Amino acid sequence: MMKPNQANGNSQGLELLIEKLHQHYDDQTCDIILNGMREKRVVSLRVNTLKKSKDEIKQALDTSHIMYHDVSWYDDVLIVETKESLLEELDMFKHGWIYLQSLSSMIPALIMDAKPKQTILDMAAAPGGKTTLLAVLTQDQASITAIEAHPIRAEKLKFNINRQGIKHVSVMVKDARMLDPYFIFDRILLDAPCSGSGTILLNDPKTFSYFTQKLIDKSVETQKALIKKAVDLLKPGETMVYSTCSVLPDENDNIIQSILKSGWVEVVPIEDDKWHSIPTLPTQIPGTLLIPPSQYYEGFFIAKLKKKVKK
Ligand code: SAM
């Protein structure tokens, strides 16, 4: 087993992470995850095609002498060879022509198969990376409701929506567990609050300083309640996506198992060829996606579920 670099910071968070990984995975898988957490992650941006084309953004990057690379699974994304802080100085960022977003974080919205005219619910939306991607994918022609429980984060969400020139998103500051099942939706995204274990970087102690058993337990409790509510709010026969930036089965496979037990949903396997270039790890539930942390990707879990017409 590989020992992580414990030179700095909160060793308790790190010890807990290693303990949790070894509870669930064999040594080889633990090494893949921990080695991925040692990597310096790439910077990626998403072109806001409601405002600019990818070619226009490429030209602007050329002018700023910033190198970039395409990604095979989504046209309007670029990996850029610069720091986020430098991109934030550029007009393209200030005017909302681009959104800085990790590669993994785009995948749940892309998997939703969202279409114009649909009613879409984003149950845990701030700061809005996935809400705004859903708006782009539907040419701002869907009716999107974005829920965020925390008022300050909801302000950030509204700011990002406005900056990207998106019109058809309504933001509600609310605990999504309390949503009234008066409205039901064609598509639901539950990008659940989680421990963030997939975003930990071993060389950056602040990324694991909040990682505690209490946080995992609280996240699991909220995830279970939120996914139950999501299924209540989904139209029969339609699909939802559950995702977390955690690599722990407690927050992923176990949550999906718990909702499968209700008998109301089935897994829709994520098997489009375009995802084959992304490295994944086996999961307990076939058809779900577990992306290990790496140079390119944050650790992420994604499951697509369909609500049965009858139980
Ligand atoms: N989907 C977002 C994006 O792509 O930018 C990231 C969402 S983040 C993983 C989870 C969010 O859920 C946080 O902003 C958190 O404040 C919010 N949250 C936590 N509990 C919630 C609840 N009960 N109802 C609604 N939002 C909640």
Side-chain angles (χ1 to χ4, degrees):
M1 172 192 128
M2 186 88 53
K3 287 256 186 289
N5 175 4
Q6 296 195 10
N8 301 299
N10 169 7
S11 66
Q12 276 174 1
L14 206 47
E15 279 161 20
L16 177 66
L17 172 72
I18 293 162
E19 184 191 318
K20 287 276 156 197
L21 292 177
H22 280 277
Q23 238 172 44
H24 296 294
Y25 299 113
D26 58 27
D27 283 358
Q28 198 191 348
T29 307
C30 289
D31 282 352
I32 293 173
I33 294 173
L34 290 168
N35 282 333
M37 289 177 173
R38 270 172 235 284
E39 296 278 358
K40 190 172 174 324
R41 205 148 293 136
V42 295
V43 175
S44 48
L45 64 82
R46 180 163 59 70
V47 178
N48 174 12
T49 52
L50 297 172
K51 287 196 167 190
K52 291 284 170 190
S53 69
K54 187 179 183 185
D55 281 345
E56 286 172 305
I57 296 303
K58 280 182 167 177
Q59 275 169 23
L61 290 169
D62 287 339
T63 307
S64 299
H65 307 291
I66 295 172
M67 307 269 281
Y68 48 80
H69 313 273
D70 291 312
V71 167
S72 66
W73 43 262
Y74 181 47
D75 259 357
D76 295 318
V77 57
L78 289 168
I79 293 172
V80 280
E81 291 186 18
T82 187
K83 291 183 184 162
E84 289 200 350
S85 55
L86 290 177
L87 288 167
E88 284 167 3
E89 296 297 315
L90 302 178
D91 280 351
M92 66 172 87
F93 178 81
K94 291 182 185 159
H95 296 314
W97 303 341
I98 60 164
Y99 186 82
L100 301 185
Q101 188 168 13
S102 79
L103 296 177
S104 299
S105 166
M106 299 179 205
I107 298 168
L110 292 171
I111 279 174
M112 281 180 68
D113 191 26
K115 299 201 168 64
K117 306 259 192 300
Q118 285 179 331
T119 52
I120 301 174
L121 176 66
D122 185 346
M123 285 180 81
K130 298 178 192 68
T131 310
T132 53
L133 175 52
L134 286 167
V136 168
L137 293 169
T138 55
Q139 296 94 52
D140 203 11
Q141 297 297 315
S143 166
I144 301 178
T145 305
I147 312 289
E148 171 54 49
H150 295 277
I152 293 171
R153 290 180 63 84
E155 284 311 308
K156 183 76 187 159
L157 169 65
K158 287 180 197 165
F159 176 84
N160 282 331
I161 291 167
N162 288 337
R163 179 148 73 178
Q164 290 178 66
I166 293 163
K167 303 275 178 269
H168 292 111
V169 176
S170 322
V171 173
M172 281 173 75
V173 186
K174 196 171 171 77
D175 183 330
R177 290 173 291 192
M178 304 301 162
L179 283 170
D180 198 324
Y182 183 65
F183 294 107
I184 53 172
F185 295 86
D186 298 314
R187 292 283 182 275
I188 297 182
L189 172 62
L190 172 52
D191 183 41
C194 71
S195 69
S197 64
T199 63
I200 286 175
L201 296 168
L202 296 185
N203 294 319
D204 183 357
K206 69 176 182 303
T207 64
F208 48 83
S209 60
Y210 296 103
F211 186 74
T212 60
Q213 186 60 49
K214 201 169 158 198
L215 175 64
I216 299 169
D217 293 344
K218 185 167 175 268
S219 301
V220 167
E221 194 189 321
T222 310
Q223 288 154 359
K224 281 189 178 157
L226 284 171
I227 200 166
K228 227 166 143 277
K229 177 61 76 176
V231 174
D232 284 350
L233 298 174
L234 185 61
K235 280 188 191 162
E238 300 293 354
T239 56
M240 61 168 284
V241 165
Y242 174 86
S243 58
T244 70
C245 57
S246 177
V247 290
L248 301 180
D250 318 59
E251 302 181 78
N252 299 333
D253 315 64
N254 294 3
I255 302 297
I256 300 303
Q257 296 286 15
S258 78
I259 200 66
L260 288 174
K261 277 195 199 134
S262 77
W264 268 116
V265 286
E266 59 197 9
V267 171
V268 179
I270 301 167
E271 52 194 12
D272 193 316
D273 284 353
K274 75 174 165 199
W275 306 119
H276 286 171
S277 65
I278 299 177
T280 55
L281 290 173
T283 61
Q284 292 162 23
I285 306 171
T288 60
L289 217 59
L290 177 61
I291 303 171
S294 64
Q295 179 192 358
Y296 289 98
Y297 296 97
E298 285 176 334
F300 238 83
F301 173 83
I302 307 165
K304 188 169 184 175
L305 302 170
K306 182 174 180 176
K307 186 168 179 177
K308 296 178 188 170
V309 176
K310 271 193 188 157
K311 202 165 161 177

